[in-house]
Amino acid sequence: MARVLDLPRNEGGIATAIEVLRQRLGPRVETGQAFRAQHAHTTTWLRNQPPDAVICPTSTSEVQDIVRVCAEYRVPVIPFGTGSSLEGHVNAPAGGICLDFQDMNAILAVHAEDMDAVIQPGVTRKALNAHLRDTGLFFPVDPGADASLGGMAATSASGTNAVRYGTMKDNVLALKAVLPSGEVVKSAARARKTSAGYDLTRLIVGSEGTLGIITELTLRLQGIPEAISAATCSFPSVEAACDTVIQTIQYGLPVARIELLDALQVKAVNAYSRLGLPETPLLLLEFHGTEGAVTEQADVFGGIAREMGGTGFTFTTREEDRTRLWQARHDAYWAALQLRPGAKGISTDVCVPVSRLADCVTAAQARLAADGFIAPIVGHVGDGNFHSLLLVDMDNPAEVEKAEAYVGWLNELAISMDGTCTGEHGIGQGKATYLDRELGPGAMAMMRAIKRGVDPLNIFNPGKMGLD
Amino acid sequence: MARVLDLPRNEGGIATAIEVLRQRLGPRVETGQAFRAQHAHTTTWLRNQPPDAVICPTSTSEVQDIVRVCAEYRVPVIPFGTGSSLEGHVNAPAGGICLDFQDMNAILAVHAEDMDAVIQPGVTRKALNAHLRDTGLFFPVDPGADASLGGMAATSASGTNAVRYGTMKDNVLALKAVLPSGEVVKSAARARKTSAGYDLTRLIVGSEGTLGIITELTLRLQGIPEAISAATCSFPSVEAACDTVIQTIQYGLPVARIELLDALQVKAVNAYSRLGLPETPLLLLEFHGTEGAVTEQADVFGGIAREMGGTGFTFTTREEDRTRLWQARHDAYWAALQLRPGAKGISTDVCVPVSRLADCVTAAQARLAADGFIAPIVGHVGDGNFHSLLLVDMDNPAEVEKAEAYVGWLNELAISMDGTCTGEHGIGQGKATYLDRELGPGAMAMMRAIKRGVDPLNIFNPGKMGLD
């Protein structure tokens, strides 16, 4: 827990700001203990650091007003979506005001011809896709949780189909955000392409609330594919599975998803869902396209997989069969937790060049075994990104410490392979100490210069990303 | 020419810096008049503002040394690739030292399994693709000119196949750049995906040399497609052509290129290349994929085009026929210039949401006709981006002024359609006055805060992007 520090609190400023905001917003300035605790970090193993108050703003101009008050009294502002991030992004180590965007959940426009949608940040990805169903379009980024799109943008989320459709960085066309000064920034026009000035869109995406509070997003949409095929294949080793991934991508097969489950994860799913899969590494794939194309693609993949020693290759285009084939992946998290009931999951998130993936996964497995951890692995292997989920007894400080040591070791290993400590979970508090190791002093200096330039009072989500 | 201002020169600092650099680098500090003029802006209609000296650095550490000297004496530093940008990016309005990267042209590594390459910034895109030929991989971004990849990154270039493969923002995985402090920033690891800190890669890409001097690039590569098909089709109107584009994209056809030539441009090409194309709007397309897929795709496109009133639909997968079909596009620029020999071309670069493209092109044509300009139009219409090439007698100030008024009017029109004044040419000097109109004071404030934070002395490419 060493990395969750309490920062100095500006007690007088916080009290005054809450008073001023109460005069304007009345009981909408919520200060109840339970409500505040819910708005600190909930889905992580990191310690909860609640804000001093929570407000659910209803408009960009209301956010501007609140930010101006907070700037005047030098009070931290922490944006909140659904709280499903994993690295302490919404903790309030110096206290402050949490802005919960649940009431800014309007879909403002769907431009079907331009294949984009303009939304408020509190819209969740499932709500957007439900709204889009009749248009033949969908928003592809899928981090698993039904996160808010504002939070997904702020943390640069991705997930299983980033290999085909990219991450939030690739799918946010433009955004509006409130700056620490209270000004609103429009990051880009709605055109598909622009070279007009600094790429503020992609700077704010992934900046974890430290530069701007997102109040509107313009998102790229995709056409719902005519057909989807799913395929699975078992492999004698992680190397054989990873070599298959490399061959598949090099061949140019436009896989929509390509996921790895290691043998322990397959074992967990067999037990949880009463499946009878061989307890060896498993690849699960999905292809999107025309009826003919997705069958051909699954076929080509089957050929590659068999050459690499794959067995039990199965594919289908029927929806119910797809769901069954992918059940192992859908159940992975809950199945993993059942391997050690009562334990909490600590997830790693390294991402390495695909050529190093087998080495990295194999080394991770060896150290997990040596350390005595129960820790299944799932990976978005088309991108070189994988998670080991360490099942840890949080009441055992020695075990927690050993888990932290493993996380640090794996982060360093990935960095030594020209990879990153975080493919999609972000830095937050949990990985603040690794960013410098990964990118070095020049990058840290540039990030701090940007932060200082945009937020000289350091009121936007302080204590995150190792910037202060 | 009003937009090419001379900025105050730090004469003493410049003279001293040149003296200090001469002591270190000897005659490599070039100050000859002709050489300097070649390193100011050459392929634009804007006035030439030469630097005071030109140096061709040979390593990142040499760039660091030069930048540190320039920082000490507060002298501008202007990076130079091949000088093919169009908006005065390499002009030196306050004088200073130009860094020409022609000698940093090594391909440092090709990671075929990871489908990336690490290069120095002076490598041109054709040189990279020649080097890659035997690997089965290629680098897709193609702005027409054989530009340096460092310059393409700095200006966020794209071109005809951005609709399929994206722009430089999508194809630079990571970079190294020297900051105004002389520090080196490593923007990201070589992994395909990262959420580690601010997206410095995409901030520096497109920053036009104002934040960092790029000294190394890691680029994403693509597999050379098994087959390529080309198709052309004539249309009764720009609207019919644009509606065909919208339908094609919505259908999900993965077009690699989709280009529009307006009737005047077709007429120009007919005259220049002795073709017999109907002198109506023309779409040219290219599809990349398997043999079966590219034929099917061209076929589907043919069906859509005919429904929209397209005629003379032709397609082929044979290389020599593809070249012939695309001759109209390859010759477009030179054919256009022949419409008015001796005139100089002034190119616009607006990009609008695709749903507004027909309106924007049609309005542009009407005003060009009313103004009496000869100005054919070509467009990367899958992205909503098009260029009108105004053929202007630069010795006639009234005509130049009228051309500038047209450019301004078109930029405003595109902005009013939620588009941008620049899809791919960048801001430089030429469009500095429009950036504020497009994005507003919040975005300008944020860009200036970033610039001030990173380059407090304003020594990196001053006078560009309207930031100072």
Side-chain angles (χ1 to χ4, degrees):
Chain A
M1 301 282 199
R3 56 189 64 129
V4 182
L5 301 173
D6 289 308
L7 300 178
R9 289 170 53 84
N10 170 11
E11 296 292 357
I14 291 169
T16 310
I18 289 176
E19 194 49 45
V20 171
L21 289 167
R22 270 238 169 81
Q23 283 168 25
R24 297 187 190 181
L25 302 168
R28 289 176 56 212
V29 181
E30 307 237 23
T31 52
Q33 167 69 27
F35 199 66
R36 291 193 292 114
Q38 284 164 22
H39 283 81
H41 218 262
T42 53
T43 61
T44 178
W45 57 286
L46 299 167
R47 181 161 61 87
N48 190 304
Q49 295 173 307
D52 294 283
V54 179
I55 303 171
C56 298
T58 56
S59 68
T60 299
S61 67
E62 199 169 81
V63 174
Q64 291 181 274
D65 290 344
I66 297 166
V67 165
R68 286 199 178 106
V69 171
C70 289
E72 187 173 348
Y73 299 104
R74 309 205 170 192
V75 170
V77 183
I78 303 112
F80 181 94
T82 62
S84 55
S85 67
L86 293 168
E87 297 292 352
H89 294 92
V90 295
N91 258 339
I97 310 292
C98 170
L99 299 184
D100 177 337
F101 283 91
Q102 62 176 293
D103 293 340
M104 284 180 70
N105 62 354
I107 294 167
L108 303 171
V110 175
H111 303 107
E113 286 194 318
D114 297 318
M115 296 175 73
D116 69 53
V118 184
I119 62 155
Q120 289 186 318
V123 176
T124 69
R125 65 177 185 87
K126 286 186 182 170
L128 176 60
N129 280 325
H131 181 90
L132 290 173
R133 202 167 292 144
D134 296 335
T135 64
L137 300 169
F138 78 111
F139 182 72
V141 183
D142 173 4
D146 187 21
S148 74
L149 289 154
M152 286 169 62
T155 57
S156 190
S158 51
T160 51
N161 55 21
V163 65
R164 167 75 176 258
Y165 297 107
T167 71
M168 287 304 281
K169 284 177 190 166
D170 305 299
N171 288 285
V172 178
L173 267 180
L175 55 80
K176 280 188 187 158
V178 175
L179 296 177
S181 62
E183 279 175 294
V184 176
V185 59
K186 170 188 169 175
S187 70
R190 197 166 59 79
R192 295 302 264 196
K193 210 173 81 172
T194 176
S195 56
Y198 298 159
D199 193 341
L200 300 181
T201 310
R202 279 146 158 172
L203 178 63
I204 294 172
V205 170
S207 66
E208 304 186 359
T210 64
L211 296 176
I213 310 278
I214 297 167
T215 61
E216 192 179 299
L217 289 162
T218 302
L219 302 174
R220 295 175 76 122
L221 305 176
Q222 300 286 335
I224 294 175
E226 184 186 315
I228 299 177
S229 71
T232 65
C233 194
S234 295
F235 290 86
S237 65
V238 165
E239 287 86 347
C242 288
D243 285 344
T244 303
V245 172
I246 290 172
Q247 295 276 329
T248 303
I249 306 264
Q250 281 207 324
Y251 187 93
L253 273 190
V255 287
R257 306 181 200 253
I258 183 164
E259 296 283 302
L260 172 74
L261 275 60
D262 79 345
L264 178 57
Q265 180 67 64
V266 174
K267 187 177 168 185
V269 182
N270 275 345
Y272 184 79
S273 310
R274 297 178 195 285
L275 301 178
L277 292 163
E279 293 181 358
T280 63
L282 181 76
L283 285 183
L284 299 103
L285 292 91
E286 204 172 86
F287 298 97
H288 294 177
T290 61
E291 196 73 48
V294 298
T295 303
E296 185 194 347
Q297 286 159 15
D299 234 26
V300 172
F301 170 76
I304 295 171
R306 273 185 290 262
E307 260 179 52
M308 298 290 149
T311 54
F313 169 71
T314 317
F315 85 98
T316 181
T317 57
R318 293 184 48 212
E319 187 168 354
E320 56 272 37
D321 295 340
R322 280 197 279 119
T323 306
R324 188 181 46 75
L325 276 192
W326 270 69
Q327 190 173 347
R329 179 68 184 91
H330 297 313
D331 294 343
Y333 181 71
W334 299 109
L337 290 183
Q338 285 307 311
L339 288 174
R340 192 180 180 193
K344 183 116 188 161
I346 297 182
S347 177
T348 67
D349 181 38
V350 297
C351 185
V352 295
V354 180
S355 64
R356 305 308 306 277
L357 183 61
D359 290 347
C360 196
V361 171
T362 309
Q365 287 177 321
R367 163 113 181 202
L368 289 166
D371 279 357
F373 281 112
I374 300 174
I377 286 176
V378 296
H380 312 312
V381 284
D383 301 313
N385 183 206
F386 73 91
H387 310 299
S388 37
L389 189 72
L390 281 70
L391 298 167
V392 176
D393 174 2
M394 299 303 284
D395 296 329
N396 180 341
E399 196 178 317
V400 173
E401 198 178 315
K402 197 162 65 167
E404 287 202 64
Y406 167 82
V407 171
W409 168 85
L410 182 62
N411 290 344
E412 300 282 353
L413 178 68
I415 290 166
S416 76
M417 292 175 166
D418 215 349
T420 173
C421 66
T422 182
E424 57 183 17
H425 293 171
I427 297 292
Q429 297 175 307
K431 300 211 190 80
T433 50
Y434 303 105
L435 188 58
D436 186 13
R437 303 274 308 159
E438 180 171 324
L439 297 178
M444 294 309 295
M446 188 169 188
M447 290 188 204
R448 289 190 180 116
I450 293 165
K451 170 70 171 173
R452 231 181 2 253
V454 175
D455 183 17
L457 303 176
N458 192 24
I459 59 168
F460 271 18
N461 214 2
K464 310 298 160 66
M465 289 182 129
L467 295 174
D468 37 6
Chain B
M1 301 284 198
R3 58 189 63 132
V4 183
L5 301 172
D6 289 308
L7 301 179
R9 287 171 53 84
N10 170 12
E11 296 292 359
I14 291 170
T16 310
I18 289 176
E19 193 49 46
V20 171
L21 290 167
R22 269 238 171 79
Q23 283 168 24
R24 298 188 191 182
L25 302 169
R28 289 176 56 211
V29 181
E30 306 238 22
T31 52
Q33 168 68 28
F35 198 66
R36 291 192 293 113
Q38 284 164 22
H39 284 80
H41 218 264
T42 53
T43 61
T44 177
W45 58 286
L46 299 168
R47 181 161 61 85
N48 190 306
Q49 296 173 306
D52 294 284
V54 180
I55 303 171
C56 298
T58 56
S59 68
T60 298
S61 67
E62 200 169 79
V63 174
Q64 291 180 274
D65 290 345
I66 297 166
V67 165
R68 286 199 178 105
V69 170
C70 289
E72 187 173 349
Y73 300 104
R74 308 205 171 193
V75 170
V77 185
I78 303 111
F80 182 94
T82 62
S84 56
S85 66
L86 293 168
E87 297 292 353
H89 295 91
V90 295
N91 258 338
I97 311 292
C98 170
L99 298 184
D100 177 336
F101 282 91
Q102 61 176 295
D103 293 340
M104 285 180 69
N105 62 354
I107 294 167
L108 302 171
V110 176
H111 302 106
E113 286 195 319
D114 297 319
M115 296 175 72
D116 68 54
V118 184
I119 62 155
Q120 289 187 319
V123 177
T124 68
R125 66 177 184 87
K126 286 186 182 171
L128 176 60
N129 280 326
H131 182 90
L132 291 173
R133 202 168 291 143
D134 297 335
T135 63
L137 300 169
F138 78 112
F139 181 72
V141 183
D142 173 5
D146 187 22
S148 74
L149 288 153
M152 286 169 62
T155 58
S156 190
S158 51
T160 52
N161 56 20
V163 64
R164 167 75 177 259
Y165 297 106
T167 71
M168 288 303 282
K169 284 177 191 167
D170 305 299
N171 288 285
V172 178
L173 267 180
L175 55 80
K176 280 188 187 158
V178 175
L179 297 177
S181 63
E183 278 176 293
V184 176
V185 58
K186 170 189 169 175
S187 70
R190 197 165 60 78
R192 297 301 265 194
K193 209 173 82 173
T194 175
S195 56
Y198 297 159
D199 192 341
L200 300 181
T201 310
R202 280 144 159 173
L203 178 63
I204 294 173
V205 171
S207 67
E208 303 186 359
T210 64
L211 295 176
I213 311 278
I214 297 167
T215 61
E216 192 179 297
L217 289 161
T218 302
L219 302 174
R220 295 175 75 120
L221 304 176
Q222 300 286 335
I224 294 174
E226 184 187 315
I228 299 177
S229 71
T232 65
C233 194
S234 296
F235 290 86
S237 65
V238 165
E239 287 87 346
C242 288
D243 285 344
T244 303
V245 173
I246 291 171
Q247 296 277 330
T248 303
I249 306 265
Q250 281 207 324
Y251 187 93
L253 273 190
V255 288
R257 306 180 200 253
I258 183 164
E259 296 283 302
L260 171 74
L261 276 59
D262 80 346
L264 179 57
Q265 180 66 65
V266 174
K267 187 177 167 185
V269 182
N270 275 345
Y272 183 80
S273 310
R274 297 177 196 286
L275 301 177
L277 292 162
E279 292 180 358
T280 62
L282 180 76
L283 285 182
L284 298 102
L285 293 91
E286 205 171 85
F287 297 96
H288 294 179
T290 62
E291 196 74 47
V294 298
T295 302
E296 184 194 350
Q297 286 160 14
D299 233 26
V300 172
F301 170 75
I304 295 170
R306 272 185 291 261
E307 260 178 52
M308 299 289 149
T311 54
F313 169 73
T314 317
F315 85 97
T316 180
T317 57
R318 291 184 49 213
E319 187 168 356
E320 56 272 36
D321 294 341
R322 281 197 279 119
T323 306
R324 188 180 47 75
L325 276 192
W326 271 69
Q327 191 172 348
R329 180 66 184 91
H330 298 313
D331 294 343
Y333 180 71
W334 298 110
L337 290 183
Q338 285 307 311
L339 288 174
R340 193 181 180 193
K344 183 115 187 161
I346 298 181
S347 177
T348 66
D349 181 40
V350 296
C351 185
V352 295
V354 180
S355 63
R356 305 307 306 276
L357 184 61
D359 291 347
C360 197
V361 172
T362 308
Q365 288 176 320
R367 163 115 182 202
L368 289 166
D371 280 357
F373 281 112
I374 300 174
I377 287 176
V378 296
H380 312 312
V381 285
D383 300 313
N385 184 206
F386 73 92
H387 311 298
S388 36
L389 189 72
L390 280 70
L391 298 168
V392 176
D393 174 2
M394 299 304 284
D395 296 329
N396 180 340
E399 196 177 317
V400 173
E401 198 178 315
K402 196 162 67 168
E404 287 203 66
Y406 167 83
V407 172
W409 168 84
L410 182 62
N411 290 346
E412 299 282 353
L413 179 68
I415 291 165
S416 76
M417 292 175 165
D418 215 350
T420 173
C421 66
T422 183
E424 58 182 16
H425 292 171
I427 297 292
Q429 297 175 307
K431 299 210 192 81
T433 49
Y434 304 105
L435 188 57
D436 187 13
R437 304 273 307 160
E438 180 171 324
L439 297 178
M444 295 308 296
M446 188 169 188
M447 290 187 205
R448 288 190 181 118
I450 293 165
K451 170 70 171 172
R452 230 180 5 251
V454 175
D455 183 17
L457 303 175
N458 192 23
I459 60 168
F460 271 17
N461 214 2
K464 311 298 160 64
M465 290 182 130
L467 295 174
D468 37 7

